[in-house]
Amino acid sequence: MEKKNLRIVFMGTPEFAVGSLQRLVENGYNVVAVVTQPDKPVGRHASVLRPSPVKEYALAHGLPVLQPLKMKDEHFLEQLRSYNADLQVVVAFRMLPEVVWAMPRFGTFNVHAALLPDYRGAAPINWAVINGETLTGVTTFFLDHDIDTGRIIAQRQFPIPDDADVEYVYDGLMQLGAQLCTHTVDLVLSTDGNAPSQPQQDSDARHAAPKIFKETCAIDFSLTAKRIYDFVRGLSPAPGAWCLLTPRDANAPAQVLKVYKTAKTGESVAGGALVSSAPDHNAANTGDQPTSVEVGTLKAENRRLFVATVDEWLEIVELQPAGKKRMAARDYLNGFQHPEHFLLK
């Protein structure tokens, strides 16, 4: 069978999936239909419906689009069967019932943004960076009953630089995933649907990659500077790590502060042993150094902003105050007086 004759149904929603769909279309593969999430209500009154990036690309290239609310809906299943797919390709979509993934004669494979079985779940790119990984990658695997557990077809590695944020890794894996997608389709073609695959070894799974919620993004300044540094870049630029800018005067309200970029300084705080007690202001006033600094304490030096972690001072490079735009910390300091009167919590 030639690739122009292999009938493919593509399933995906976000921009990450567009990379694979685009590569299939531009390289002459026979994508007969696209399945994506229903349009998302946006705006103050949720009165505007926004199509997914995959839908926008599909419509621009004349591809039929299906947007089921429920994957087991009989009308949707009838529509899906009508396309007589030989193969289904899934990239960043949702969990499929067996009646869907088992429908094509060559099965359904998924492009996952991690080196399975590690980082199974909805947010593998974020968690790989949060955990300080230096290597990640993409995996194609055949779908089965449990999420991200099917037989592995192929993998490609991708290095994560120490200063990379999620956007960098996302873009890199989107392109790598697109390459692996067409490579896997070619394997299916060349083997008449019998592409070689290997079972996953659960013992190799070190981390999970669950969905990220707002509370997941709260910064814990009692962690080490390295862990906070990785945490911030693992959530930047979206959804963004956050903390509370809290006045030491307990009667004043705290404000939400998003943190998009930090820098390690290597400068120890209080001999590397922070305790949760306020600085000794009397000692500071006499010119002596305080013996302890509270986690989350702020200081400004030479138009640079620093926060005390459990072991080192961490520089805050880019942030976003509530109700304002993202900005450099040096610009924020123009209107932020006496940072020593505040804590980050």
Side-chain angles (χ1 to χ4, degrees), residues 12-181:
T13 296
E15 180 187 5
F16 187 87
V18 174
S20 293
L21 177 58
Q22 180 179 3
R23 188 174 176 91
L24 288 169
V25 170
E26 292 184 354
N27 285 276
Y29 293 87
N30 185 23
V31 179
V32 296
V34 169
V35 183
T36 190
Q37 293 280 62
D39 295 358
K40 184 178 180 181
V42 296
R44 179 173 295 181
H45 303 292
S47 58
V48 177
L49 293 178
R50 176 182 295 168
S52 72
V54 162
K55 180 180 178 179
E56 291 181 333
Y57 181 89
L59 292 180
H61 291 80
L63 300 175
V65 175
L66 306 180
Q67 295 179 275
L69 288 172
K70 298 181 179 179
M71 300 301 293
K72 291 184 179 180
D73 178 80
E74 283 301 327
H75 177 64
F76 163 68
L77 293 175
E78 288 179 10
Q79 287 182 299
L80 192 60
R81 290 189 189 99
S82 72
Y83 288 103
N84 297 314
D86 299 303
L87 178 70
Q88 289 175 162
V89 177
V90 179
V91 185
F93 191 46
R94 56 192 290 188
M95 190 170 181
L96 303 180
E98 183 175 2
V99 67
V100 173
W101 57 256
M103 191 178 294
R105 61 183 181 129
F106 293 158
T108 300
F109 77 79
N110 183 285
V111 180
H112 186 74
L115 297 174
L116 291 175
D118 218 7
Y119 292 104
R120 293 170 175 161
I125 303 176
N126 297 94
W127 285 110
V129 181
I130 288 171
N131 289 330
E133 301 286 1
T134 58
L135 186 70
T136 185
V138 287
T139 301
T140 53
F141 67 95
F142 286 116
L143 265 64
D144 64 10
H145 294 92
D146 298 316
I147 189 167
D148 298 338
T149 60
R151 295 177 65 89
I152 292 174
I153 307 166
Q155 291 185 321
R156 296 288 186 275
Q157 294 182 343
F158 183 85
I160 305 177
D162 183 65
D163 61 349
D165 61 13
V166 160
E167 186 172 43
Y168 173 89
V169 183
Y170 184 101
D171 291 344
L173 292 184
M174 179 171 65
Q175 298 304 318
L176 189 62
Q179 296 170 21
L180 192 60
C181 176

Side-chain angles (χ1 to χ4, degrees), residues 33 67 115 178-179 213 252 258 280 282:
Q67 295 179 275
L115 297 174
Q179 296 170 21
F213 299 95
K258 279 199 169 185
D280 186 345
N282 292 328

